[in-house]
Amino acid sequence: MRVVLAEDLFLLRDGLVRMLEAYGFEIAAAVESGPELSKALAELEPDVAVVDVRLPPSHTDEGLQCALAARRARPGLPVLVLSQHVEQLYARELLADGDGGIGYLLKDRVFDADQFIDAVRRVAAGGTAMDPQVISQLLSRRSQDKPMGGLTPREREVMELVAQGRSNTAVAAQLVITERAVAKHTSNIFGKLGLPPSDDDNRRVLAVLAYLDHG
């Protein structure tokens, strides 16, 4: 699996390269700026891009914008973005760009190799991988909002895991309940969010977008 990596800090970039290679990924390019990232994504057509949100020369959201532009040129390009802090706008913009093949992790998460590699693989396979801390903070901020405030405690637990990109099987294992119970909870969540019940990835992304938009 070929990866384009964009990170301006040399030590972190080098560490990520070594980690990804240790887990069998091929590094197609490891770059440090927005222009280099745009060029690599256009020319190398990687299986997945791992991108720092803030890159030179602007050091604002250049990495994210380069990734979004690449997805417009190549719909469905899997992109996992890394951010130093929880930024609701970044999460919403990334999710709104399309369904599946997207992820948003805090940089601290990359030091947990298993979790980071799992996120890269999930995104590369067309799924979503949202940082648990991002989801927890956003859910907490919306605890009294409607329709999110209408969710039961168990539905909130399920919503948090769904937002991370977990499958029904993974949610069931995490909460120690049956997959049938998870399907029932997700159906209730979709109903409360005004979305037709469905287990497909697109509907799950729309559910995450719906709750991000209620803030």
Side-chain angles (χ1 to χ4, degrees), residues 4 17 21-22 58 83-84 92 156 161-162 178 181 193 203:
V4 163
V17 166
E21 288 180 336
S58 69
S83 178
Q84 192 68 44
R92 180 187 288 119
R156 285 183 172 281
L161 293 169
V162 166
T178 65
L193 293 176
R203 197 61 58 189

Side-chain angles (χ1 to χ4, degrees), residues 155 158 162 167-169 171-172 177-191 197-199 204:
E155 287 169 353
V158 172
V162 166
S167 66
N168 280 7
T169 301
V171 173
I177 57 178
T178 65
E179 288 188 49
R180 184 175 179 179
V182 173
K184 180 179 179 181
H185 287 310
T186 55
S187 178
N188 290 340
I189 291 168
F190 293 148
S198 171
D199 285 333
R204 296 166 92 87

